[in-house]
Every structure is written in structure tokens, then in C-alpha cells.
Amino acid sequence: MREDAQHALAQVDEARLWRRHVEMARIGAIPNNGVNRAALSDEDIAARTLLISWARARNFGVSVDGIGNLFLRREGRDAVAAPVMTGSHMDSQPRGGRFDGIYGVLAGLEALEAIDAAGLETQRPIEVVAWTNEEGGRFPPCTMGSAVHTGARALEDFLEVKDNDGIVLKDALARTLAATPDAGARAFGSPAAAYIEAHIEQGPRLELEGKTIGVVTGIQGLRWFNIEVSGKTDHAGTTPLKLRKDALRDAIAIINALHELTRDDSDTLRFTVGRMLVTPNSPNSVASHVLFSVDLRHPDRATIDRLGQAVEPAARAAARQCSVKVTPTLHDDPRVFDPGVVDIVEACARELALPCMRLASGASHDAMYMARVCPTGMIFVPCENGVSHNEAENAKPGDLAAGARVLTAVLLELAGR
Ligand code: GLV
Ligand code: MN
Ligand code: MN
């Protein structure tokens, strides 16, 4: 590694990176060290404002696109060259932790600051992006910002999505955009030379194997559906069971059938029903309507295709009394990352003498969409007991800084000198 690159790596400041995680975790803090920072909420706006203040203190450029993806930019020697991008997301799960997403944004900013502090010029600009609504916990589906930015989905597809309180995405987005009036406007689909995302692993493998760096080879396939069951509300005390159209009873039958459909002795397949809205949601009224989510994941394309296609027929066959509507909301095929970027991540980790291993991601990330438009890779760092999407999510300051150093080295390599 060149001496000036080593100088930049030495500027990665573990204490500052940790302090920023602590500061961000105050925004949307919930008991037990958790974070609830829903996409396009007041807390999301506060996180954006804080991030922009850190970027402006270093004179990095700030711009926002039409779905609120937020870009911080350090210019390169060639101002018109496509930037190398890094980043992740600042929104969290409703009972999320302090690292999922925000680590990739803060590690990106740390790398940018380190390169800046070392006074290094890169050929290409480098940008840190905070993608809007990666989690999809408030406004499903997930990875919305990167899907729209890369042109895989249209913004219009999502504007009418409602959260559990009936708030429409388009209104929450307008409030969020209005909160950062000084950010420059950014078009969708701006080209990127490469994308590299840092993230906690969200699984146990790195910790179990005693590795500090995960060299991520790709992301498993994903299908999401909304299933709506429509029946009729009735008096719980008086209506004979045989006369009912009980939407909740049928919803449960459907969920059981889907568990059967997705049974997998190898425990590779992932099937989750995590969200359910029951109407009228009263103990003594028969449910007239149930909406629930289906999240289905598998690394093999043929398997995820077959199962994805089987969801609707299985749901219809399981319903006894009610009508069923199945709406696919997300369709991501398994994605293999660019071998060149994967090799660079591994080479940088080895050069820094950090124990590393290759692994595929079980979780989804915005890198999935960026991989459609440019050479892409990811860097994982361990998280305690592999726990994530949980308040107990935890990571070590030293591991976070090690990941940021690898990220800095990879960015320098990709951006050219
Ligand atoms: C992202 O949080 C995912 O659901 O994998
Ligand atoms: Mn994440
Ligand atoms: Mn997540």
C-alpha cells in the first residue's frame, strides 16, 4: 500500500466513529439501547440534519434526489468522472439497534474525512449515500430508495403506500424533502463507477469464526407479498361459526399452509410473516379484513422462483370462508457481487492484516440494487451473537473502525489516484 494511503488509514478515528454512533442512537432512542428511527419520520429528519452538519463542517457537497436519498460528496481530480459510492441507510426497524444501516453511512463519512484529513487527491469523486427507507418497516417494501435511484422501480409505484397510521408516503416524503432545503437537487440514475457498502453482519458467522472482516460475495434472493383476506365482521357472541366469514381464521390457515410449503430441513430457506393488520381489531367482533406480509428468501434462483410462484395458489387453497388477494411487493433475484470488487475488499483486509472470510449476505441491502448498475461489493463486521433487528444489536468500536479502514482502502483503490 502506498505511504500516503497508509497515512489516510491512520486518520480513521475510532473514537469519533463511535461517538457518532452514540449521537445518532439518541435520535429515536428506545429502551434497552434500541433505536426506532422510521423512514421519513421526524427522527429520520433529525438524523439527516445531523449528518449534513458533519458533512458541511468538512465542506463536502450535499445533494438529495426525489425520494430523499442523501448524497455527500468529496470532489476528485476529474470532476465529471462518475463517482465511487459508499453508504447505507439511517432508518431503522421499529425495535431496531444502533448499527444496522447507520454504520455504513458513518463508516463512509469516516473514510471520506480520513482521506480529506490526509490531503489525498483521488481521480474520481467519492460519495457517501444515505438511502431512503432501506428497512421498509414503516412503508413497505424495503430498499425503496436504491430501487428508485437505480431505475429498477418508479417513484410513482410507492407514493401511495401507507404506514400503519394511514400516513401516505408522498406526504411524509414531502415533509422530509422540505426539511433540507439547502441540499442540491440530484437526478435519479446518476452514474456510479462502483459501489461498496459497509454493514454489520447481522448473523453469527464472523464472530463464531473469529474474523474481523466479512468479504461479501452476494445477497440471497427475496420475495415479498401482501396477502389480504376479506370476510365479514359479525358479533362474536351471537354469530354461529358456520355462518361466519372470519378473515383472521382464514389468515391463520393460510400462514400455516405457507409454513408447510416452505418447510426446509436444511434450514436454508427463510419464511417470515412479520406484519399483520386486523380490521376492526376488536375482541368481540369477527375480523372482516386481515392484511399480512410474507417475506421469503433463498440463495438459489430456481428455488426462490418456484416458491414465489407457489405462494398465491397455496394461499387460495387454504382459505375456507373468505376471499384472498395476493400482491407481490418485492422481487429480488439472488445477486452475485462483482468479482473484481470482492477481490479488492479481500486484498485490502489482508494488507491490513485483518482476519477475514468470504460469505454471502442473508439480509438484503441497497447494494443489491447498486449491483445492477455498477461493480459492487460489501464489507461486513461482526455483531454480538449475530443479533440484529433487535434492541440488543451490538458491535465493538474496534471492529467498526477496522471495517472503516478497509472501506477507506477500498475507496482509494476504486477512486484511483
Ligand atoms: C433488511 O433489513 C432486510 O430485511 O434484509
Ligand atoms: Mn441494514
Ligand atoms: Mn435492517
Side-chain angles (χ1 to χ4, degrees):
M1 189 177 304
R2 280 170 53 165
E3 203 176 307
D4 54 358
Q6 282 175 9
H7 184 46
L9 264 52
Q11 304 296 315
V12 169
D13 183 339
E14 179 179 320
R16 174 174 59 193
L17 181 60
W18 183 255
R19 206 166 50 240
R20 286 182 171 164
H21 279 89
V22 171
E23 266 192 71
M24 278 290 181
R26 288 196 194 110
I27 304 173
I30 55 174
N32 304 317
N33 279 332
V35 171
N36 178 7
R37 198 163 49 236
L40 308 176
S41 63
D42 287 347
E43 291 77 20
D44 188 358
I45 290 173
R48 288 161 184 267
T49 306
L50 182 57
L51 184 72
I52 290 173
S53 74
W54 289 331
R56 289 240 159 90
R58 275 271 177 198
N59 289 321
F60 297 145
V62 177
S63 60
V64 179
D65 71 12
I67 192 164
N69 296 317
L70 173 59
F71 302 83
L72 317 177
R73 177 181 174 100
R74 182 174 188 267
E75 292 299 342
R77 197 176 305 115
D78 182 352
V80 296
V84 170
M85 291 173 63
T86 182
S88 195
H89 59 98
M90 301 202 290
D91 65 317
S92 80
Q93 288 289 318
R95 286 178 55 188
R98 295 168 293 162
F99 303 96
D100 176 3
I102 193 66
Y103 169 57
V105 175
L106 295 180
L109 179 62
E110 191 58 44
L112 218 58
E113 291 217 34
I115 293 167
D116 204 54
L120 294 198
E121 227 183 32
T122 55
Q123 180 68 20
R124 295 180 179 280
I126 303 178
E127 294 192 338
V128 179
V129 52
W131 299 107
T132 295
N133 192 26
E134 191 277 346
E135 294 290 4
R138 178 184 183 194
F139 294 112
C142 60
T143 48
M144 212 183 253
S146 51
V148 171
H149 186 78
T150 55
R153 300 289 298 268
L155 175 59
E156 293 68 37
D157 290 354
F158 299 130
L159 289 175
E160 302 302 329
V161 173
K162 285 190 187 136
D163 72 6
N164 290 348
D165 298 322
I167 296 173
V168 183
L169 182 138
K170 125 174 117 205
D171 297 333
L173 176 59
R175 279 185 77 242
T176 305
L177 292 176
T180 53
D182 298 335
R186 171 78 169 237
F188 292 136
S190 52
Y195 178 74
I196 175 82
E197 177 168 348
H199 207 283
I200 57 165
E201 182 201 344
Q202 307 184 277
R205 288 188 58 200
L206 293 177
E207 195 179 64
L208 285 173
E209 309 259 349
K211 308 289 189 197
T212 309
I213 298 296
V215 179
V216 186
T217 52
I219 299 181
Q220 68 176 337
L222 176 67
R223 300 283 185 275
W224 275 21
F225 302 87
N226 277 340
I227 300 190
E228 288 176 84
V229 185
S230 298
K232 175 168 159 279
T233 189
D234 267 313
H235 196 291
T238 60
T239 316
L241 293 187
K242 62 175 183 291
L243 294 184
R244 294 184 183 193
K245 290 186 172 184
D246 184 338
L248 189 48
R249 187 171 178 181
D250 268 5
I252 290 165
I254 294 169
I255 293 167
N256 285 335
L258 294 178
H259 271 291
E260 281 307 311
L261 175 76
T262 55
R263 194 202 291 265
D264 171 22
D265 292 339
S266 74
D267 200 11
T268 308
L269 191 135
R270 302 283 176 260
F271 168 71
T272 307
V273 175
R275 179 184 190 226
M276 182 177 275
L277 302 177
V278 180
T279 309
N281 208 15
S282 163
N284 47 358
S285 285
V286 174
S288 60
H289 187 264
V290 173
L291 181 153
F292 64 93
S293 59
V294 168
D295 174 316
L296 193 61
R297 309 191 195 202
H298 199 279
D300 174 58
R301 167 85 191 261
T303 307
I304 192 84
D305 262 346
R306 176 176 58 76
L307 288 167
Q309 283 161 16
V311 164
E312 178 158 359
R316 290 196 181 286
R320 292 276 166 267
Q321 305 168 320
C322 304
S323 63
V324 176
K325 184 176 164 204
V326 178
T327 310
T329 56
L330 194 64
H331 183 116
D332 288 332
D333 289 328
R335 182 106 355 223
V336 174
F337 287 150
D338 181 82
V341 177
V342 173
D343 285 348
I344 290 174
V345 172
E346 190 169 65
C348 289
R350 288 197 193 287
E351 222 174 324
L352 294 176
L354 292 164
C356 65
M357 64 186 278
R358 292 188 175 217
L359 78 179
S361 177
S364 227
H365 299 284
D366 296 297
M368 189 132 192
Y369 281 96
M370 287 305 283
R372 295 168 173 231
V373 297
C374 67
T376 289
M378 290 190 75
I379 300 165
F380 278 173
V381 295
C383 59
E384 197 173 286
N385 299 321
V387 171
S388 186
H389 286 195
N390 185 306
E391 301 97 317
E393 191 175 87
N394 201 11
K396 293 195 183 104
D399 290 345
L400 299 174
R405 274 184 212 104
V406 174
L407 178 64
T408 307
V410 173
L411 287 170
L412 285 172
E413 183 70 26
L414 293 171
R417 307 290 299 290

